[in-house]
Amino acid sequence: MKKEVASVILAAAILSTGCGSIAGEHNIDSGFAYIENHDFASAMESFMAAQENGEDECLLHRGLGIVYLNTGEYQQAVDELMASLAADEGIVDDMDFDTNYYLAESYYRLGEYNKAKEVYDAILGLRSKDSNAFYLRGVCELASGNHDSAYSDFSKAIALNSRDYSMIILIYKALSEYGYEDEARNILQTTMDNGSSFMSNYEKGQISYYLGNNAEAQNYLEAARSERDQDKEPVILMLGQTGEKQGDFNYAISVYKNYLNENPSSAVVYNQLGTCQIKQGDYSGAVSSFEAGLTVDDKSMNQALRLNEITAYEYLGEFNMASALMATYIQDYPDDEAAARENVFLSTR
C-alpha cells in the first residue's frame, strides 16, 4: 500500500457511497461480536471464514486490523486498516474515522509517531473540533519529544471539552509519564477549581486521588458508591486503591470483598483483590481470588489473572504448580516476552 497516510481519509471524502453494511455479512458480524467480548482468536477464525466466503472487504480488513492491534501485531494491523480504507466505497462516515483512530494507534504502538500524527492531522482536517484527536496527537508529540506542541494540543482538547474529566486525567498521566509532573498537577488542580460544581462525586474522587489527596478522595468515593445511578465498579476500584496507596490493605480488601459479595462476576475486582492480597503477604488468599476471577471467564481479564495466579504460586514456593501454569500460559500467549523469560527462571527451580 503506497498511499500516503494523511491522504487515505481525505481521498475517501470525495467518493459517493459508504463502506459495506454489516447486515448479511454473517462471519464478519460474528467476528466483531467476538472482538467486543475480547475473544480475538475466535474473531480471527470468523474473519478468515468471511474471507473465504467473499464477504465485504472493507469490513473484513477493518476487523482483521482491530484483531492484530489487540494481539500486538502492529504492522499487520497497519496493513489491514490501510486496506480497509482503500476498499471503502463511500463518503467519510463515523466508521472511517474510527478506522483511522485504530490506524493511528497502530502507528503509535510501532513507535512511528510522525505517521500517527499525520493520521490525526487528517482527522482534524475534517473534524476541527475533535477533542480526542487533539489529545491523542498531543500524546504523539510528547513521545516525539515535542513538549510545546503537545501542551498546545492538550490545551485545545481541554478547551473543546472541559468536562471530559476522563480525558483530562489521561492528559495528566501522559505529562507525568514524561516528567512534567508540575504541569500535570496544575492541569488537575485547575480542573478541580473551575469545575467542582459540575463534577460528580466519582469525578471529584478521581481528581483528588491523582492530586494525592487520599482522605478527600475517599470521602467523595464513599459518597459515590452509595449513589443509585453511579456505576459502582470503577468507584470500588479507585476507593480500594486509596487504601492501598496509604498502605491500608485491610481497608482495601474489605472494599473489594464487600463489593464482590454482591457482584461476584467482576473479574477486574477479583484481580485487584488478589494483587492487594499479594502486597499484604496473603498468597493463598491471592490464589483463591485469581482463581475465582478466572471462573468469570472475562476475556479482557483472563491473561492478567492467569499471570498473577502464577506469581502468587511463586510467592507460595509452589514452583511446580507455577511452572505447569506458565507452560500453558506461554502456549496461549506466545508473544508475552516477559513471561517467556520468567518461564526460563521457573524451569531452573
Side-chain angles (χ1 to χ4, degrees):
M1 191 62 61
K2 297 182 179 180
K3 294 183 180 181
E4 291 295 324
V5 175
S7 70
V8 174
I9 187 172
L10 297 175
I14 64 173
L15 301 175
S16 59
T17 57
C19 189
S21 170
I22 200 168
E25 308 288 348
H26 171 71
N27 291 297
I28 287 176
D29 189 24
S30 296
F32 281 107
Y34 283 125
I35 286 174
E36 189 173 351
N37 290 322
H38 298 88
D39 187 351
F40 301 113
S42 297
M44 179 63 75
E45 291 177 5
S46 292
F47 290 129
M48 290 297 99
Q51 193 168 43
E52 291 178 7
N53 291 342
E55 295 182 25
D56 185 272
E57 283 194 20
C58 176
L59 292 170
L60 170 63
H61 290 301
R62 169 182 157 80
L64 286 170
I66 294 170
V67 170
Y68 283 130
L69 174 58
N70 280 279
T71 55
E73 299 176 80
Y74 303 126
Q75 186 57 57
Q76 291 94 322
V78 166
D79 294 342
E80 294 295 340
L81 294 165
M82 291 285 282
S84 175
L85 291 167
D88 192 346
E89 298 176 349
I91 61 172
V92 175
D93 57 15
D94 287 341
M95 185 176 290
D96 295 308
F97 282 101
D98 196 50
T99 299
N100 273 273
Y101 271 113
Y102 284 119
L103 176 62
E105 183 179 351
S106 300
Y107 279 126
Y108 177 82
R109 298 293 180 184
L110 282 169
E112 297 189 29
Y113 306 124
N114 287 332
K115 288 185 178 179
K117 284 189 287 184
E118 287 180 20
V119 180
Y120 294 127
D121 288 343
I123 292 171
L124 288 165
L126 296 176
R127 288 184 172 177
S128 61
K129 295 185 178 180
D130 190 326
S131 60
N132 198 40
F134 276 116
Y135 152 64
L136 290 168
R137 191 174 70 178
V139 172
C140 292
E141 294 283 8
L142 268 184
S144 302
N146 300 323
H147 164 267
D148 291 349
S149 296
Y151 193 84
S152 174
D153 275 346
F154 292 152
S155 298
K156 291 172 184 174
I158 294 171
L160 286 166
N161 201 349
S162 61
R163 297 188 191 180
D164 186 346
Y165 303 115
S166 295
M167 180 188 70
I168 291 171
I169 288 169
L170 290 173
I171 289 172
Y172 159 81
K173 289 180 177 181
L175 286 167
S176 296
E177 180 182 349
Y178 283 91
Y180 302 104
E181 180 67 30
D182 289 342
E183 255 180 15
R185 287 179 57 82
N186 286 339
I187 286 173
L188 285 190
Q189 190 61 62
T190 300
T191 299
M192 180 68 91
D193 293 342
N194 293 343
S196 60
S197 59
F198 305 113
M199 292 180 188
S200 67
N201 282 313
Y202 172 56
E203 290 163 343
K204 291 177 185 177
Q206 283 183 294
I207 299 292
S208 298
Y209 174 82
Y210 289 112
L211 283 171
N213 302 328
N214 287 298
E216 189 175 88
Q218 280 186 357
N219 289 336
Y220 286 128
L221 293 167
E222 287 283 6
R225 75 165 168 173
S226 65
E227 294 170 352
R228 179 178 301 177
D229 297 330
Q230 173 65 51
D231 182 9
K232 299 300 191 297
E233 185 176 89
V235 174
I236 293 301
L237 288 168
M238 181 150 283
L239 185 58
Q241 287 174 69
T242 62
E244 291 186 54
K245 196 173 180 181
Q246 298 174 89
D248 190 351
F249 299 116
N250 289 331
Y251 170 79
I253 287 170
S254 174
V255 168
Y256 300 139
K257 285 186 173 180
N258 286 340
Y259 178 77
L260 288 167
N261 285 338
E262 297 181 3
N263 304 273
S265 61
S266 177
V268 66
V269 176
Y270 275 119
N271 188 59
Q272 193 63 36
L273 170 61
T275 57
C276 185
Q277 288 168 317
I278 285 178
K279 293 174 186 176
Q280 195 185 38
D282 180 10
Y283 307 127
S284 295
V287 167
S288 297
S289 295
F290 297 135
E291 288 178 346
L294 285 166
T295 64
V296 177
D297 195 26
D298 180 342
K299 296 294 191 300
S300 68
M301 288 301 303
N302 283 347
Q303 182 175 0
L305 284 161
R306 288 175 64 180
L307 193 58
N308 287 335
E309 180 188 20
I310 292 166
T311 300
Y313 273 117
E314 287 185 59
Y315 277 118
L316 278 171
E318 296 189 20
F319 296 109
N320 288 338
M321 176 63 80
S323 182
L325 291 172
M326 181 63 84
T328 58
Y329 176 91
I330 292 294
Q331 288 179 353
D332 293 336
Y333 306 102
D335 296 327
D336 189 334
E337 295 179 0
R341 290 192 295 271
E342 183 66 15
N343 191 38
V344 173
F345 164 77
L346 282 171
S347 68
T348 67
R349 300 302 297 242

